[in-house]
Amino acid sequence: MVNLTLSLSACICVVAAAEPSPPIWPETFHALAVQNRNGSLALVDLYYEWKNGRNANLIHKQLGTTLYDIEYNNKTSYYFDRELGTCKQIDFPVGILTPDWLANATYLGTDSVDTYDTHVWTKSEGFIKYWADVKTGLPVRWRFFDGAQFEIMTFKEGETLPDEEWQAPEYCFTKDLGARADVPMQPLAAA
Ligand SMILES: *[C@@H]1O[C@H](CO)[C@@H](O)[C@H](O)[C@H]1NC(C)=O
Ligand SMILES: *[C@@H]1O[C@H](CO)[C@@H](O)[C@H](O)[C@H]1NC(C)=O
Ligand SMILES: *[C@@H]1O[C@H](CO)[C@@H](O)[C@H](O)[C@H]1NC(C)=O
């Protein structure tokens, strides 16, 4: 009886110790990712600035133009393509991710992806799955519920994007966008 109790608690200790805590994002970083949405590929520069309350995705589409997705913590986002002259303002119900957004994620164990040994977490009933390098804690891959997958190629803490790159172009404001959500803007005429 004593032996059984001892071995049971030893077993619980081992299981508890084996579960790593989820990574916490640095307050500022630049990551370069390969995005695959059902075979539609893009290189994405992700800039995260928690202190400034903003987040940028520069989506360089394969053999295509660059779509800017600039998100602010005040729940406003701008999608624009300087080359195509398009702009769209979107109101999101949530702001940008907190550095500890992975807290409370469900640990799924280890996995070998992209030649890295990783810890895997999932959050919000499978909304996102997140693979982090066992050795460094850096993200290797994340995947959304709809299959959109991102392989993280570089991750540089402290690196940022110049202010002028965050600024949505003037035509986002001079055209009649109003405050309405999800109003697609017409491409500007060449003039
Ligand atoms: C949110 O912040 C951005 C950048 O400062 C600004 O352009 C936008 O108008 C703000 N939106 C709201 C709803 O305050
Ligand atoms: C994690 O759970 C705790 C307790 O329910 C909660 O206070 C906290 O806000 C959660 N954090 C995140 C990032 O979800
Ligand atoms: C991929 O295609 C499936 C099936 O058409 C669709 O349900 C899913 O939303 C698509 N995912 C992305 C990221 O476009």
Side-chain angles (χ1 to χ4, degrees):
M1 192 62 200
V2 170
N3 274 346
L4 180 62
T5 311
L6 276 178
S7 57
L8 266 182
S9 51
C11 188
I12 288 161
C13 280
V14 169
V15 168
E19 199 148 303
S21 17
I24 294 175
W25 274 5
E27 292 195 347
T28 305
F29 69 83
H30 169 208
L32 178 66
V34 174
Q35 170 187 287
N36 186 339
R37 308 180 74 96
N38 282 337
S40 165
L41 300 179
L43 275 178
V44 179
D45 281 296
L46 165 63
Y47 291 92
Y48 176 78
E49 286 188 11
W50 172 246
K51 283 224 172 105
N52 288 327
R54 60 191 189 177
N55 191 66
N57 290 284
L58 278 49
I59 305 162
H60 313 285
K61 291 172 274 184
Q62 183 176 24
L63 301 177
T65 57
T66 296
L67 177 67
Y68 284 66
D69 163 13
I70 306 284
E71 302 166 356
Y72 294 102
N73 219 2
N74 63 14
K75 302 179 170 66
T76 305
S77 291
Y78 296 93
Y79 286 85
F80 54 89
D81 186 317
R82 298 184 200 272
E83 263 181 83
L84 298 179
T86 53
C87 186
K88 192 166 163 177
Q89 182 188 315
I90 294 189
D91 300 325
F92 273 119
V94 291
I96 68 168
L97 297 171
T98 59
D100 73 344
W101 66 276
L102 274 170
N104 308 332
T106 306
Y107 183 61
L108 296 179
T110 55
D111 192 5
S112 175
V113 295
D114 301 344
T115 77
Y116 286 87
D117 290 326
T118 62
H119 291 302
V120 192
W121 286 271
T122 184
K123 175 112 197 191
S124 307
E125 277 126 51
F127 180 77
I128 191 167
K129 212 168 153 184
Y130 191 99
W131 288 258
D133 181 18
V134 164
K135 288 204 190 91
T136 61
L138 294 177
V140 174
R141 166 190 292 172
W142 56 73
R143 183 163 68 213
F144 292 96
F145 67 97
D146 62 0
Q149 184 163 308
F150 297 75
E151 314 295 334
I152 314 307
M153 306 303 287
T154 64
F155 190 95
K156 292 180 184 141
E157 184 171 350
E159 200 166 287
T160 188
L161 185 69
D163 269 345
E164 59 267 26
E165 287 288 300
W166 294 88
Q167 181 57 51
E170 207 187 324
Y171 64 76
C172 286
F173 308 98
T174 50
K175 283 272 176 155
D176 186 20
L177 267 182
R180 288 170 52 209
D182 207 0
V183 181
M185 217 177 115
Q186 297 311 308
L188 275 191

